Amino acid sequence: MTVFLTKELEALKKMILSEGARVEEAIARAIRAFLERDFEQAEAVIQADSVIDRMEIEVEEECINILALYQPVANDLRFVVAVLKINNDLERMGDIAANIAKRAARIAARARMDMDFDFAKMAAKAQSMVRRSIDALVNRDVALARQVCADDDELDAMRHDLHDRAPHRMEQTPEQADVLLQYLAVARHLERLGDMATNVAEDVIYMVEGEIIRHQTGLG
């Protein structure tokens, strides 16, 4: 039975990594669509969200199948439990990518707004956290996972900075209030991506070390 379980676990690993790659791509395309005001690319991200939804269901079914048939223990059990949780976070990241794409479609035809805030930097930070959380999963890299957890505060600070600047910008350019509101909404989505990446990183630490670190501080 050990041989069969090993094969099932390897297949599960490939499934979750494939889902992660698909989510990474969706996030990158959604952010690019927003920054470049690309309506067609935004629509493509929205339409592709159903693929991630299907992948999430397939991974969950495989996890349940392994738990029911093989009753894994110790490291193998932690891996399946971690994948179940990561799978849910990845699906939510896919939803966030679709939501960013919807914002991109909404402002695609609007005039560009000069920003005194480096929005692209915030987007890059969120993407980096997602990418590194998945890399940590692939490589069972606890050190990298802890770095992702530590970076979450920086992303939160960026979002708060933009939020603090918004009232002054709205006073200066009231005609662009709707566009600014879309930026604020996407900033919140980026912050949520950081939260989801942190969840994945925490689950990697649990998977490798058996340590539950949620709600702890000082992880960096």
Side-chain angles (χ1 to χ4, degrees):
M1 188 169 87
T2 302
V3 174
F4 292 114
L5 174 58
T6 299
K7 289 182 178 179
E8 291 290 343
L9 292 174
E10 186 61 31
L12 178 61
K13 180 180 179 180
K14 290 179 180 178
M15 291 172 69
I16 195 69
L17 295 184
S18 179
E19 183 183 358
R22 174 73 70 163
V23 168
E24 273 194 78
E25 179 186 7
I27 292 169
R29 294 183 70 189
I31 290 172
R32 190 160 55 247
F34 186 82
L35 294 176
E36 298 176 359
R37 308 290 179 89
D38 189 332
F39 180 84
E40 291 185 1
Q41 186 160 215
E43 284 294 306
V45 173
I46 295 167
Q47 295 301 320
D49 186 47
S50 59
V51 176
I52 295 173
D53 292 342
R54 287 197 300 273
M55 295 175 84
E56 188 251 349
I57 292 171
E58 290 169 359
V59 168
E60 182 174 328
E61 289 177 342
E62 181 65 11
C63 287
I64 293 171
N65 181 62
I66 290 172
L67 290 171
L69 292 180
Y70 301 103
Q71 300 179 342
V73 297
N75 291 341
D76 292 339
L77 177 60
R78 288 207 306 271
F79 173 72
V80 176
V81 171
V83 167
L84 268 172
K85 296 168 73 178
I86 290 169
N87 182 46
N88 181 59
D89 283 326
L90 289 176
E91 191 275 333
R92 291 164 71 188
M93 288 184 196
D95 288 342
I96 292 172
N99 287 336
I100 292 173
K102 290 174 184 176
R103 303 286 179 177
R106 190 172 299 175
I107 68 168
R110 300 292 299 273
R112 291 186 177 276
M113 182 175 65
D114 292 331
M115 297 281 290
D116 58 351
F117 175 85
D118 194 344
F119 198 85
K121 181 179 179 181
M122 183 181 181
K125 170 62 72 172
Q127 286 182 271
S128 173
M129 289 181 67
V130 171
R131 183 180 64 254
R132 287 181 293 131
S133 70
I134 295 172
D135 287 345
L137 171 63
V138 172
N139 300 309
R140 301 174 65 89
D141 188 334
V142 171
L144 183 58
R146 291 185 183 277
Q147 288 177 16
V148 173
C149 294
D151 281 354
D152 193 40
D153 288 342
E154 182 180 351
L155 190 63
D156 291 346
M158 289 180 176
R159 206 273 294 184
H160 289 303
D161 183 31
L162 177 60
H163 191 271
D164 290 342
R165 294 169 185 258
H168 179 64
R169 169 59 65 179
M170 201 168 290
E171 288 178 3
Q172 286 185 319
T173 56
E175 71 281 1
Q176 291 187 312
D178 181 60
V179 175
L180 179 58
L181 289 174
Q182 302 310 314
Y183 272 89
L184 290 171
V186 171
R188 177 57 181 156
H189 289 320
L190 294 175
E191 184 182 43
R192 290 297 296 149
L193 284 176
D195 292 342
M196 297 296 99
T198 299
N199 288 348
V200 172
E202 289 172 346
D203 289 332
V204 170
I205 294 169
Y206 165 76
M207 180 181 72
V208 176
E209 297 186 341
E211 179 187 5
I212 298 174
I213 64 168
R214 289 187 192 275
H215 314 304
Q216 294 183 16
T217 58
L219 297 177

